[in-house]
Amino acid sequence: MKKPIQSMVLAGALLLLSVSALANDSERDAVDQVMQKMMRGFESGDPNLILEVLRRDGVVVGYSAPRGSVVTQSAEEWANGFTGKPAADEALRKRSYEILEVGRDAAIVKVTLDYPRWDGLDYLALSKIDGKWMIVSKSWSGQSKPAAP
């Protein structure tokens, strides 16, 4: 009689793990969709596209070496810095992202930016708000590259 109970407990545990893994995959896919839209926003320079996945009341923060201080602005201010057109050197810009962690209602994504004049690294914090994943903060760092000869 012990064997059937142990088998049922094991089967139940495996089922719970499977359901949990599927739920986590679903959340990871949702975060990935947000990031794909964010990357399209970077590529197109479209602030409206970016603001579809970036909370207007979010924050963008990073250290500016030329200013010698931390620069903070609202996410809306940052997004509105985009012109609505791709950058002149867009074809030479490389971007990638890695979803580092996805929890029940929070996620962290690392974005690597390799531009002709900038090497950057961003960390994006996402929150699930009212059932929708949104970027709530962007922490950036990077350095200028010398102009190509």
Side-chain angles (χ1 to χ4, degrees):
M1 186 126 146
K2 254 186 171 181
K3 281 278 190 204
I5 291 173
Q6 288 175 339
S7 295
M8 287 186 344
V9 168
L10 180 59
L14 290 174
L15 179 61
L16 286 174
L17 287 174
S18 297
V19 169
S20 175
L22 286 174
N24 196 27
D25 284 348
S26 172
E27 296 300 336
R28 188 174 199 78
D29 289 346
V31 168
D32 188 51
Q33 292 296 313
V34 167
M35 290 309 303
Q36 288 178 35
K37 187 171 280 192
M38 183 67 166
M39 293 298 108
R40 286 193 309 273
F42 271 123
E43 291 165 7
S44 67
D46 184 351
N48 296 316
L49 189 59
I50 291 169
L51 288 169
E52 287 181 27
V53 294
L54 181 69
R55 290 273 307 197
R56 292 175 186 271
D57 59 350
V59 65
V60 176
V61 61
Y63 179 76
S64 170
R67 292 185 188 180
S69 65
V70 172
V71 177
T72 304
Q73 61 188 149
S74 76
E76 184 172 30
E77 289 171 326
W78 175 79
N80 285 330
F82 285 84
T83 64
K85 298 177 185 174
D89 62 357
E90 182 57 39
L92 302 173
R93 294 180 175 207
K94 297 176 188 146
R95 297 176 193 88
S96 62
Y97 65 90
E98 179 184 358
I99 300 171
L100 300 177
E101 183 76 29
V102 177
R104 184 174 13 144
D105 55 8
I108 296 291
V109 178
K110 175 182 166 184
V111 179
T112 303
L113 307 168
D114 180 7
Y115 295 174
R117 299 289 316 267
W118 180 258
D119 268 329
L121 184 63
D122 294 349
Y123 285 92
L124 306 180
L126 291 81
S127 291
K128 191 172 185 182
I129 302 168
D130 297 327
K132 182 179 177 184
W133 285 100
M134 296 290 293
I135 299 166
V136 296
S137 72
K138 176 184 182 294
S139 175
W140 60 267
S141 63
Q143 59 188 17
S144 296
K145 292 179 182 178

